[in-house]
Amino acid sequence: MNDNKLERAVHLLRAGEVVAMPTETVYGLGAAIDSVEGINKIFSTKKRPFFDPLIVHVSSKKMAKTLTSDWHPMADFLAEHFWPGPLTLILPKADSVNQLITSGLSTVGIRMPKHSIALSLIDLLSVPIAAPSANLFGKTSPTSASHVEKEFEGQGLMVLDGGPCEVGLESTVLLIRKTQEHYQLSILRSGHVLRSDLEKALSVSRLKFEFVKNNEPALAPGQLKHHYMPEVPLVLIKNKSMKLDEVVATTLNKMSHLPAEVESVSLKKISQIKNPLMLELPEESHLAARQLYSKLRELVEIKKADFLYFYRQEIHSAEEWESVMDRLTKAATFILE
Ligand code: TXA
Ligand code: MG
């Protein structure tokens, strides 16, 4: 990336604009956290509802500390171990963090991305960058600069091209709650960093912790049932013996009973299926994660599928497949058991 382009991006961010930046997970639509105008533009550009909080990206631990009122030993340990990388820590927010970013929550999501362009941009700006994935709300996340350009075509959005994303799925979101005795950890969104990775890392620390399921939906407002959706219906099939004819017939029947919109995401209605295409993923989970979003886009935009289907196999129940299956389940219009 030439320095000139980075400087122009910094200039735009200072002027209250949004800029798309690469990270190792997916491309983000960034704004400087001290620009209310920029933050508002993130929501309006994405058509994102204000109830869904943004992740704040930093380029150092020092910068992360300015965003929270409690940089406790657990935060420090996890940041030291997993940053830069695909782990977002949900911590008590500092007063200085604008409520718009956190959707009025008392917590803030922070992560240090593992991508030299994102890190240089934040460094040059000297202000953390709030960035959700650079796609329209509820839709498939972008894993290349061209995905972002296509999604916001004609809007004059500056996109910093950092090549294809290495991880390909959004970061693991970890809520950390401190009690008198220990830390409670809840994975709000699965990602490349697995629960077993966290457990393994923490086993060499002296920190006391337990994993708990978060039972308070208000603490995880972005975890909707429908998300990451491609332009055409996608069906997950659990029954291996179900043939395509039957899948198509059942789909058309079910589609006629669906509402037009679920959780702010509109579902495309279809009355016939002419070009059904199967989503095929590599057998290795990291490769599958890297390719998932671009494959979904390719099948729809280049191969012109009007219906997508995916057969779920036994191997997909393993822990390392959790994030891919989470995204596929949320991207699916419905699941055929
Ligand atoms: O890998 C990623 O995390 C990418 C790249 C660009 O960093 N970003 C991303 O942002 O996926 P977004 O906005 O698409 O998803 C952020 C998720 C949402 O589900 C949001 O609800 C959750 O993080 N989140 C952010 N702040 C939170 C908070 N204070 N409490 C609970 N959840 C939070
Ligand atoms: Mg997103």
Side-chain angles (χ1 to χ4, degrees), residues 31-34 56-59 63-64 66-67 122 125-130:
I33 63 157
D34 60 357
V56 180
H57 298 72
V58 297
S59 58
M63 198 181 252
T66 65
L67 300 168
I122 302 164
L125 184 68
S126 311
V127 171
I129 292 181

Side-chain angles (χ1 to χ4, degrees), residues 266-285:
S266 51
L267 302 179
K268 192 165 172 176
K269 288 257 177 182
I270 48 166
S271 52
Q272 52 177 338
I273 291 170
K274 287 188 175 156
N275 189 24
L277 293 179
M278 181 158 82
L279 169 68
E280 289 177 278
L281 292 176
E283 283 187 11
E284 203 281 312
S285 63

Side-chain angles (χ1 to χ4, degrees), residues 12-137:
L12 286 170
L13 291 169
R14 290 213 175 108
E17 284 299 329
V18 290
V19 168
M21 66 173 185
T23 82
E24 81 282 31
T25 59
V26 299
Y27 275 70
L29 186 68
I33 63 157
D34 60 357
S35 168
V36 175
E37 200 186 338
I39 301 297
N40 270 313
K41 262 187 205 149
I42 289 180
F43 287 93
S44 60
T45 308
K46 267 187 73 103
K47 301 193 169 57
R48 182 181 176 110
F50 280 106
F51 67 75
D52 196 4
L54 306 175
I55 293 174
V56 180
H57 298 72
V58 297
S59 58
S60 67
K61 232 164 68 173
K62 189 169 161 225
M63 198 181 252
K65 289 179 194 172
T66 65
L67 300 168
T68 169
S69 61
D70 192 8
W71 185 261
H72 43 57
M74 177 59 89
D76 198 72
F77 182 88
L78 293 177
E80 196 58 49
H81 208 281
F82 290 98
W83 284 0
L87 178 66
T88 296
L89 304 177
I90 307 290
L91 299 170
K93 89 182 236 335
D95 287 343
S96 58
V97 178
N98 194 311
Q99 297 269 350
L100 259 180
I101 294 170
T102 61
S103 301
L105 294 175
S106 59
T107 55
V108 58
I110 313 172
R111 94 174 185 98
M112 190 196 298
K114 192 177 178 180
H115 197 294
S116 59
I117 294 179
L119 292 172
S120 306
L121 185 68
I122 302 164
D123 262 345
L124 275 174
L125 184 68
S126 311
V127 171
I129 292 181
S133 50
N135 51 277
L136 291 168
F137 183 71

